PDB file of all heavy atoms in Angstrom:
ATOM      1  N   LYS A   1     152.917 -64.421  39.181  1.00 87.00           N
ATOM      2  CA  LYS A   1     154.179 -63.808  38.760  1.00 87.00           C
ATOM      3  C   LYS A   1     154.779 -64.548  37.580  1.00 87.00           C
ATOM      4  O   LYS A   1     154.834 -65.768  37.566  1.00 87.00           O
ATOM      5  CB  LYS A   1     155.167 -63.792  39.924  1.00 87.00           C
ATOM      6  CG  LYS A   1     154.942 -62.673  40.907  1.00 87.00           C
ATOM      7  CD  LYS A   1     156.018 -62.641  41.987  1.00 87.00           C
ATOM      8  CE  LYS A   1     155.794 -61.500  42.950  1.00 87.00           C
ATOM      9  NZ  LYS A   1     156.794 -61.468  44.038  1.00 87.00           N
ATOM     10  N   GLY A   2     155.203 -63.785  36.609  1.00 92.00           N
ATOM     11  CA  GLY A   2     155.815 -64.368  35.425  1.00 92.00           C
ATOM     12  C   GLY A   2     154.824 -64.750  34.349  1.00 92.00           C
ATOM     13  O   GLY A   2     155.216 -65.045  33.222  1.00 92.00           O
ATOM     14  N   ARG A   3     153.534 -64.749  34.695  1.00 96.00           N
ATOM     15  CA  ARG A   3     152.510 -65.121  33.713  1.00 96.00           C
ATOM     16  C   ARG A   3     151.624 -63.937  33.321  1.00 96.00           C
ATOM     17  O   ARG A   3     151.155 -63.863  32.189  1.00 96.00           O
ATOM     18  CB  ARG A   3     151.627 -66.241  34.276  1.00 96.00           C
ATOM     19  CG  ARG A   3     152.391 -67.519  34.593  1.00 96.00           C
ATOM     20  CD  ARG A   3     151.441 -68.660  34.919  1.00 96.00           C
ATOM     21  NE  ARG A   3     150.670 -68.428  36.140  1.00 96.00           N
ATOM     22  CZ  ARG A   3     149.329 -68.412  36.192  1.00 96.00           C
ATOM     23  NH1 ARG A   3     148.622 -68.596  35.097  1.00 96.00           N
ATOM     24  NH2 ARG A   3     148.709 -68.206  37.347  1.00 96.00           N
ATOM     25  N   PHE A   4     151.367 -63.041  34.261  1.00 97.00           N
ATOM     26  CA  PHE A   4     150.493 -61.891  34.024  1.00 97.00           C
ATOM     27  C   PHE A   4     151.324 -60.612  33.988  1.00 97.00           C
ATOM     28  O   PHE A   4     152.335 -60.492  34.707  1.00 97.00           O
ATOM     29  CB  PHE A   4     149.463 -61.749  35.129  1.00 97.00           C
ATOM     30  CG  PHE A   4     148.428 -62.841  35.207  1.00 97.00           C
ATOM     31  CD1 PHE A   4     148.500 -63.979  34.428  1.00 97.00           C
ATOM     32  CD2 PHE A   4     147.354 -62.710  36.071  1.00 97.00           C
ATOM     33  CE1 PHE A   4     147.549 -64.980  34.513  1.00 97.00           C
ATOM     34  CE2 PHE A   4     146.381 -63.694  36.160  1.00 97.00           C
ATOM     35  CZ  PHE A   4     146.492 -64.838  35.393  1.00 97.00           C
ATOM     36  N   THR A   5     150.866 -59.644  33.201  1.00 98.00           N
ATOM     37  CA  THR A   5     151.509 -58.337  33.138  1.00 98.00           C
ATOM     38  C   THR A   5     150.446 -57.251  33.213  1.00 98.00           C
ATOM     39  O   THR A   5     149.481 -57.271  32.441  1.00 98.00           O
ATOM     40  CB  THR A   5     152.311 -58.171  31.845  1.00 98.00           C
ATOM     41  OG1 THR A   5     153.295 -59.216  31.748  1.00 98.00           O
ATOM     42  CG2 THR A   5     153.023 -56.820  31.823  1.00 98.00           C
ATOM     43  N   ILE A   6     150.627 -56.319  34.131  1.00 98.00           N
ATOM     44  CA  ILE A   6     149.714 -55.183  34.243  1.00 98.00           C
ATOM     45  C   ILE A   6     150.392 -53.959  33.636  1.00 98.00           C
ATOM     46  O   ILE A   6     151.613 -53.758  33.796  1.00 98.00           O
ATOM     47  CB  ILE A   6     149.310 -54.923  35.722  1.00 98.00           C
ATOM     48  CG1 ILE A   6     148.206 -53.878  35.801  1.00 98.00           C
ATOM     49  CG2 ILE A   6     150.527 -54.546  36.568  1.00 98.00           C
ATOM     50  CD1 ILE A   6     147.596 -53.743  37.207  1.00 98.00           C
ATOM     51  N   SER A   7     149.600 -53.163  32.931  1.00 98.00           N
ATOM     52  CA  SER A   7     150.125 -51.931  32.336  1.00 98.00           C
ATOM     53  C   SER A   7     149.018 -50.887  32.324  1.00 98.00           C
ATOM     54  O   SER A   7     147.847 -51.224  32.526  1.00 98.00           O
ATOM     55  CB  SER A   7     150.644 -52.188  30.914  1.00 98.00           C
ATOM     56  OG  SER A   7     149.609 -52.671  30.071  1.00 98.00           O
ATOM     57  N   ARG A   8     149.390 -49.640  32.096  1.00 98.00           N
ATOM     58  CA  ARG A   8     148.396 -48.574  32.060  1.00 98.00           C
ATOM     59  C   ARG A   8     148.730 -47.587  30.963  1.00 98.00           C
ATOM     60  O   ARG A   8     149.898 -47.412  30.588  1.00 98.00           O
ATOM     61  CB  ARG A   8     148.314 -47.879  33.417  1.00 98.00           C
ATOM     62  CG  ARG A   8     149.540 -47.097  33.810  1.00 98.00           C
ATOM     63  CD  ARG A   8     149.442 -46.601  35.263  1.00 98.00           C
ATOM     64  NE  ARG A   8     148.357 -45.641  35.438  1.00 98.00           N
ATOM     65  CZ  ARG A   8     147.802 -45.360  36.629  1.00 98.00           C
ATOM     66  NH1 ARG A   8     148.237 -45.961  37.727  1.00 98.00           N
ATOM     67  NH2 ARG A   8     146.845 -44.463  36.706  1.00 98.00           N
ATOM     68  N   ASP A   9     147.682 -46.948  30.473  1.00 97.00           N
ATOM     69  CA  ASP A   9     147.819 -45.877  29.488  1.00 97.00           C
ATOM     70  C   ASP A   9     147.030 -44.686  30.020  1.00 97.00           C
ATOM     71  O   ASP A   9     145.798 -44.666  29.948  1.00 97.00           O
ATOM     72  CB  ASP A   9     147.283 -46.339  28.133  1.00 97.00           C
ATOM     73  CG  ASP A   9     147.496 -45.311  27.041  1.00 97.00           C
ATOM     74  OD1 ASP A   9     147.698 -44.112  27.361  1.00 97.00           O
ATOM     75  OD2 ASP A   9     147.446 -45.682  25.873  1.00 97.00           O
ATOM     76  N   ASN A  10     147.739 -43.727  30.566  1.00 97.00           N
ATOM     77  CA  ASN A  10     147.062 -42.570  31.175  1.00 97.00           C
ATOM     78  C   ASN A  10     146.361 -41.701  30.143  1.00 97.00           C
ATOM     79  O   ASN A  10     145.411 -40.992  30.471  1.00 97.00           O
ATOM     80  CB  ASN A  10     148.057 -41.746  31.982  1.00 97.00           C
ATOM     81  CG  ASN A  10     148.523 -42.446  33.244  1.00 97.00           C
ATOM     82  OD1 ASN A  10     147.885 -43.385  33.734  1.00 97.00           O
ATOM     83  ND2 ASN A  10     149.654 -42.014  33.779  1.00 97.00           N
ATOM     84  N   ALA A  11     146.823 -41.741  28.917  1.00 97.00           N
ATOM     85  CA  ALA A  11     146.175 -40.947  27.876  1.00 97.00           C
ATOM     86  C   ALA A  11     144.782 -41.483  27.546  1.00 97.00           C
ATOM     87  O   ALA A  11     143.891 -40.715  27.176  1.00 97.00           O
ATOM     88  CB  ALA A  11     147.040 -40.926  26.622  1.00 97.00           C
ATOM     89  N   ASP A  12     144.614 -42.807  27.686  1.00 97.00           N
ATOM     90  CA  ASP A  12     143.331 -43.446  27.374  1.00 97.00           C
ATOM     91  C   ASP A  12     142.558 -43.872  28.608  1.00 97.00           C
ATOM     92  O   ASP A  12     141.520 -44.516  28.485  1.00 97.00           O
ATOM     93  CB  ASP A  12     143.564 -44.673  26.496  1.00 97.00           C
ATOM     94  CG  ASP A  12     143.974 -44.303  25.080  1.00 97.00           C
ATOM     95  OD1 ASP A  12     143.680 -43.162  24.660  1.00 97.00           O
ATOM     96  OD2 ASP A  12     144.595 -45.143  24.398  1.00 97.00           O
ATOM     97  N   ASN A  13     143.075 -43.516  29.787  1.00 98.00           N
ATOM     98  CA  ASN A  13     142.417 -43.895  31.051  1.00 98.00           C
ATOM     99  C   ASN A  13     142.168 -45.409  31.123  1.00 98.00           C
ATOM    100  O   ASN A  13     141.097 -45.862  31.550  1.00 98.00           O
ATOM    101  CB  ASN A  13     141.077 -43.166  31.216  1.00 98.00           C
ATOM    102  CG  ASN A  13     141.249 -41.696  31.512  1.00 98.00           C
ATOM    103  OD1 ASN A  13     142.366 -41.190  31.575  1.00 98.00           O
ATOM    104  ND2 ASN A  13     140.146 -40.992  31.697  1.00 98.00           N
ATOM    105  N   THR A  14     143.167 -46.179  30.712  1.00 98.00           N
ATOM    106  CA  THR A  14     142.998 -47.622  30.590  1.00 98.00           C
ATOM    107  C   THR A  14     144.076 -48.375  31.360  1.00 98.00           C
ATOM    108  O   THR A  14     145.241 -47.964  31.355  1.00 98.00           O
ATOM    109  CB  THR A  14     143.057 -48.036  29.112  1.00 98.00           C
ATOM    110  OG1 THR A  14     142.015 -47.369  28.394  1.00 98.00           O
ATOM    111  CG2 THR A  14     142.883 -49.540  28.951  1.00 98.00           C
ATOM    112  N   VAL A  15     143.660 -49.452  32.000  1.00 98.00           N
ATOM    113  CA  VAL A  15     144.606 -50.387  32.606  1.00 98.00           C
ATOM    114  C   VAL A  15     144.365 -51.756  31.985  1.00 98.00           C
ATOM    115  O   VAL A  15     143.220 -52.160  31.771  1.00 98.00           O
ATOM    116  CB  VAL A  15     144.470 -50.418  34.144  1.00 98.00           C
ATOM    117  CG1 VAL A  15     143.094 -50.821  34.594  1.00 98.00           C
ATOM    118  CG2 VAL A  15     145.536 -51.302  34.756  1.00 98.00           C
ATOM    119  N   ILE A  16     145.450 -52.432  31.684  1.00 98.00           N
ATOM    120  CA  ILE A  16     145.407 -53.701  30.976  1.00 98.00           C
ATOM    121  C   ILE A  16     145.988 -54.802  31.858  1.00 98.00           C
ATOM    122  O   ILE A  16     146.966 -54.580  32.586  1.00 98.00           O
ATOM    123  CB  ILE A  16     146.237 -53.636  29.679  1.00 98.00           C
ATOM    124  CG1 ILE A  16     145.721 -52.536  28.753  1.00 98.00           C
ATOM    125  CG2 ILE A  16     146.271 -54.988  28.969  1.00 98.00           C
ATOM    126  CD1 ILE A  16     144.339 -52.795  28.199  1.00 98.00           C
ATOM    127  N   LEU A  17     145.408 -55.989  31.786  1.00 98.00           N
ATOM    128  CA  LEU A  17     146.000 -57.166  32.407  1.00 98.00           C
ATOM    129  C   LEU A  17     146.178 -58.219  31.309  1.00 98.00           C
ATOM    130  O   LEU A  17     145.192 -58.786  30.817  1.00 98.00           O
ATOM    131  CB  LEU A  17     145.137 -57.720  33.534  1.00 98.00           C
ATOM    132  CG  LEU A  17     145.762 -58.874  34.318  1.00 98.00           C
ATOM    133  CD1 LEU A  17     146.966 -58.374  35.130  1.00 98.00           C
ATOM    134  CD2 LEU A  17     144.743 -59.527  35.241  1.00 98.00           C
ATOM    135  N   GLN A  18     147.415 -58.435  30.917  1.00 98.00           N
ATOM    136  CA  GLN A  18     147.736 -59.469  29.945  1.00 98.00           C
ATOM    137  C   GLN A  18     147.999 -60.757  30.706  1.00 98.00           C
ATOM    138  O   GLN A  18     148.898 -60.809  31.551  1.00 98.00           O
ATOM    139  CB  GLN A  18     148.968 -59.081  29.126  1.00 98.00           C
ATOM    140  CG  GLN A  18     149.412 -60.136  28.123  1.00 98.00           C
ATOM    141  CD  GLN A  18     148.401 -60.366  27.029  1.00 98.00           C
ATOM    142  OE1 GLN A  18     147.847 -59.420  26.475  1.00 98.00           O
ATOM    143  NE2 GLN A  18     148.154 -61.639  26.700  1.00 98.00           N
ATOM    144  N   MET A  19     147.216 -61.784  30.396  1.00 98.00           N
ATOM    145  CA  MET A  19     147.305 -63.052  31.119  1.00 98.00           C
ATOM    146  C   MET A  19     147.743 -64.144  30.158  1.00 98.00           C
ATOM    147  O   MET A  19     147.051 -64.433  29.179  1.00 98.00           O
ATOM    148  CB  MET A  19     145.951 -63.403  31.734  1.00 98.00           C
ATOM    149  CG  MET A  19     145.376 -62.300  32.615  1.00 98.00           C
ATOM    150  SD  MET A  19     143.893 -62.796  33.500  1.00 98.00           S
ATOM    151  CE  MET A  19     142.764 -63.059  32.148  1.00 98.00           C
ATOM    152  N   ASN A  20     148.887 -64.743  30.443  1.00 98.00           N
ATOM    153  CA  ASN A  20     149.431 -65.819  29.617  1.00 98.00           C
ATOM    154  C   ASN A  20     149.540 -67.095  30.443  1.00 98.00           C
ATOM    155  O   ASN A  20     149.478 -67.062  31.678  1.00 98.00           O
ATOM    156  CB  ASN A  20     150.805 -65.424  29.078  1.00 98.00           C
ATOM    157  CG  ASN A  20     150.760 -64.192  28.199  1.00 98.00           C
ATOM    158  OD1 ASN A  20     149.793 -63.942  27.481  1.00 98.00           O
ATOM    159  ND2 ASN A  20     151.828 -63.402  28.245  1.00 98.00           N
ATOM    160  N   SER A  21     149.713 -68.204  29.747  1.00 97.00           N
ATOM    161  CA  SER A  21     149.877 -69.512  30.413  1.00 97.00           C
ATOM    162  C   SER A  21     148.797 -69.730  31.458  1.00 97.00           C
ATOM    163  O   SER A  21     149.075 -70.109  32.606  1.00 97.00           O
ATOM    164  CB  SER A  21     151.271 -69.597  31.055  1.00 97.00           C
ATOM    165  OG  SER A  21     152.285 -69.412  30.101  1.00 97.00           O
ATOM    166  N   LEU A  22     147.576 -69.505  31.064  1.00 98.00           N
ATOM    167  CA  LEU A  22     146.463 -69.584  32.017  1.00 98.00           C
ATOM    168  C   LEU A  22     146.255 -71.000  32.525  1.00 98.00           C
ATOM    169  O   LEU A  22     146.456 -71.988  31.786  1.00 98.00           O
ATOM    170  CB  LEU A  22     145.191 -69.053  31.372  1.00 98.00           C
ATOM    171  CG  LEU A  22     145.138 -67.528  31.304  1.00 98.00           C
ATOM    172  CD1 LEU A  22     144.110 -67.062  30.285  1.00 98.00           C
ATOM    173  CD2 LEU A  22     144.818 -66.939  32.673  1.00 98.00           C
ATOM    174  N   LYS A  23     145.851 -71.081  33.792  1.00 96.00           N
ATOM    175  CA  LYS A  23     145.596 -72.353  34.463  1.00 96.00           C
ATOM    176  C   LYS A  23     144.150 -72.378  34.940  1.00 96.00           C
ATOM    177  O   LYS A  23     143.509 -71.331  35.085  1.00 96.00           O
ATOM    178  CB  LYS A  23     146.532 -72.501  35.661  1.00 96.00           C
ATOM    179  CG  LYS A  23     148.017 -72.361  35.337  1.00 96.00           C
ATOM    180  CD  LYS A  23     148.843 -72.425  36.602  1.00 96.00           C
ATOM    181  CE  LYS A  23     150.339 -72.268  36.302  1.00 96.00           C
ATOM    182  NZ  LYS A  23     151.156 -72.320  37.537  1.00 96.00           N
ATOM    183  N   SER A  24     143.668 -73.564  35.223  1.00 96.00           N
ATOM    184  CA  SER A  24     142.281 -73.689  35.680  1.00 96.00           C
ATOM    185  C   SER A  24     142.054 -72.896  36.959  1.00 96.00           C
ATOM    186  O   SER A  24     140.966 -72.357  37.173  1.00 96.00           O
ATOM    187  CB  SER A  24     141.930 -75.156  35.893  1.00 96.00           C
ATOM    188  OG  SER A  24     142.813 -75.753  36.843  1.00 96.00           O
ATOM    189  N   GLU A  25     143.063 -72.800  37.793  1.00 95.00           N
ATOM    190  CA  GLU A  25     142.917 -72.063  39.049  1.00 95.00           C
ATOM    191  C   GLU A  25     142.875 -70.552  38.849  1.00 95.00           C
ATOM    192  O   GLU A  25     142.655 -69.810  39.809  1.00 95.00           O
ATOM    193  CB  GLU A  25     144.037 -72.417  40.035  1.00 95.00           C
ATOM    194  CG  GLU A  25     145.438 -72.307  39.475  1.00 95.00           C
ATOM    195  CD  GLU A  25     145.979 -73.658  39.024  1.00 95.00           C
ATOM    196  OE1 GLU A  25     145.235 -74.420  38.364  1.00 95.00           O
ATOM    197  OE2 GLU A  25     147.163 -73.922  39.296  1.00 95.00           O
TER     198      GLU A  25
END
């Protein structure tokens, strides 16, 4: 929470996961 963002584009049949502040875990 607070680091990743999920979004979707129904026109392109796409789901995105934007991952920031990545950690080794």
Side-chain angles (χ1 to χ4, degrees):
K1 280 184 179 178
R3 299 190 295 122
F4 293 7
T5 302
I6 188 170
S7 60
R8 67 188 295 160
D9 185 340
N10 290 341
D12 288 338
N13 288 1
T14 300
V15 59
I16 301 293
L17 186 68
Q18 177 65 44
M19 306 187 295
N20 299 327
S21 302
L22 283 162
K23 305 176 181 179
S24 58
E25 52 262 44

